[in-house]
């Protein structure tokens, strides 16, 4: 099974930049999108053999997640308790596993939103730990943190900034320590220069001055079922690129 995640930074804009062609070429079974920035009915990808589910923020043009899947889930839940207004999570039950597409809140410049970010992290970790007791969990999305220095081009100058603060990195450590595996680092622990987001400024993408902040994270018991994990930096259309995993698992 192939799973894809992509922060599209506005689905309506991305649709004009080759989104459909890129997604079809990836040939995924399940696709999680983040930062769709749209309300219901404002856009539709209308892929043959796929169904679409959109979770929009109450605030227009902000946040949002989507699930595009050729496998029908048993059930779908939008958001989780205490965090229902920004459209940041879709939880789909595929019988043998849960699939979650998630857009973690940005701590903002000067860490202005760090307190909410810490609350969100704790509540999300509690949620996935609870789900993991029932069946394995596959989390994908923009986690808005580069976990280790290897995960961004300029760690020294970014230390303490949003996305590379000690607080945010610590919460990722806690999540992984709660029984979950970073699939890319599981397969490629020492690979450098592997990034999924680049600023639009300073020719960052051309110079590969990026950050790896988009992840597939799975329950530890699924780690040995990961056959491949890729960062598709060649695919344009957003300031993020898609990431994917090939995993030996079936929905039931």
């Amino acid at each position: 099974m192939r799973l894809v995640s992509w922060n599209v930074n506005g689905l309506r804009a991305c649709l004009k930049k080759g989104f459909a062609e890129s997604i079809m070429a990836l040939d995924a079974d399940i696709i999680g999108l983040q930062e769709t920035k749209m309300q219901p009915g404002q856009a539709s990808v209308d892929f043959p053999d796929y169904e679409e589910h959109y979770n929009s923020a109450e605030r227009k043009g902000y946040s949002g997640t989507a699930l595009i899947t050729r496998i029908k889930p048993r059930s779908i839940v939008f958001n989780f308790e205490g965090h229902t207004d920004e459209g940041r999570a879709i939880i789909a039950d595929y019988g043998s596993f849960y699939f979650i597409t998630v857009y973690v809140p940005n701590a903002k410049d000067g860490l202005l939103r760090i307190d909410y970010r810490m609350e969100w992290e704790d509540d999300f970790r509690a949620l996935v730990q609870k789900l993991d007791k029932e069946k394995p969990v596959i989390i994908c999305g923009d986690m808005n943190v580069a976990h280790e220095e290897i995960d961004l081009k300029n760690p020294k100058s970014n230390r303490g900034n949003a996305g590379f603060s000690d607080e945010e990195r610590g919460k990722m450590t806690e999540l992984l320590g709660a029984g979950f595996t970073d699939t890319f680092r599981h397969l490629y622990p020492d690979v450098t220069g592997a990034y999924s987001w680049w600023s639009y400024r300073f020719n960052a993408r051309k110079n590969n001055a990026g950050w790896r902040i988009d992840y597939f994270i799975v329950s530890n018991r699924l780690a040995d079922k990961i056959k491949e994990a890729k960062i598709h930096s060649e695919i344009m259309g957003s300031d993020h690129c898609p990431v994917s995993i090939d995993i030996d698992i079936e929905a039931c």
Side-chain angles (χ1 to χ4, degrees):
M1 180 179 291
R2 175 165 296 166
L3 312 177
V4 165
S5 176
W6 194 0
N7 178 320
V8 293
N9 193 11
L11 181 57
R12 287 171 292 172
C14 197
L15 281 166
K16 300 174 183 178
K17 302 175 183 177
F19 171 82
E21 293 81 0
S22 295
I23 288 295
M24 293 304 290
L26 288 168
D27 192 28
D29 297 291
I30 305 171
I31 303 151
L33 304 181
Q34 305 86 41
E35 206 171 1
T36 52
K37 294 183 176 179
M38 51 170 272
Q39 299 298 307
Q42 287 188 311
S44 175
V45 296
D46 194 25
F47 291 136
D49 304 322
Y50 288 85
E51 60 181 59
E52 306 165 32
H53 303 272
Y54 295 96
N55 185 15
S56 302
E58 293 178 6
R59 173 181 164 189
K60 292 183 178 179
Y62 179 73
S63 188
T65 48
L67 176 71
I68 302 172
T69 176
R70 62 163 58 123
I71 304 168
K72 188 174 184 62
R74 289 186 174 185
S75 64
I76 294 177
V77 175
F78 289 168
N79 308 311
F80 55 98
E81 187 176 357
H83 307 274
T84 60
D85 61 338
E86 295 186 354
R88 291 187 177 274
I90 299 176
I91 303 144
D93 183 350
Y94 282 95
S96 58
F97 63 93
Y98 286 109
F99 180 92
I100 304 175
T101 177
V102 64
Y103 179 35
V104 176
N106 192 304
K108 301 296 185 183
D109 290 344
L111 303 183
L112 293 177
R113 213 183 186 198
I114 193 66
D115 290 342
Y116 178 68
R117 170 69 178 265
M118 297 296 97
E119 176 187 345
W120 199 98
E121 293 272 8
D122 289 340
D123 291 346
F124 182 72
R125 187 176 65 257
L127 167 71
V128 296
Q129 284 182 284
K130 179 180 178 181
L131 295 176
D132 188 46
K133 292 179 180 179
E134 300 176 23
K135 64 187 74 173
V137 179
I138 299 172
I139 304 162
C140 78
D142 177 358
M143 308 298 286
N144 255 319
V145 63
H147 187 213
E148 303 290 356
E149 290 192 356
I150 194 175
D151 294 317
L152 72 167
K153 178 70 172 181
N154 298 305
K156 291 183 179 180
S157 61
N158 280 294
R159 177 74 182 272
N161 289 341
F164 199 59
S165 67
D166 292 347
E167 296 93 330
E168 293 162 297
R169 296 171 66 195
K171 290 302 181 185
M172 176 58 81
T173 298
E174 287 186 52
L175 175 60
L176 298 178
F180 295 91
T181 296
D182 175 351
T183 58
F184 185 80
R185 285 293 169 221
H186 176 69
L187 294 183
Y188 305 108
D190 302 315
V191 168
T192 61
Y195 309 128
S196 64
W197 173 79
W198 304 262
S199 170
Y200 280 132
R201 299 179 293 174
F202 311 121
N203 291 314
R205 192 157 188 171
K206 180 179 178 181
N207 298 321
N208 198 30
W211 301 50
R212 189 177 73 92
I213 61 176
D214 300 270
Y215 295 76
F216 268 96
I217 294 171
V218 303
S219 298
N220 283 346
R221 59 191 181 279
L222 293 182
D224 63 352
K225 297 183 181 296
I226 302 298
K227 305 306 178 184
E228 181 59 284
K230 290 184 177 180
I231 300 175
H232 299 272
S233 57
E234 76 284 359
I235 295 179
M236 310 299 284
S238 169
D239 52 349
H240 296 248
C241 72
V243 298
S244 69
I245 59 171
D246 293 340
I247 182 170
D248 185 13
I249 194 171
E250 293 184 2
C252 66

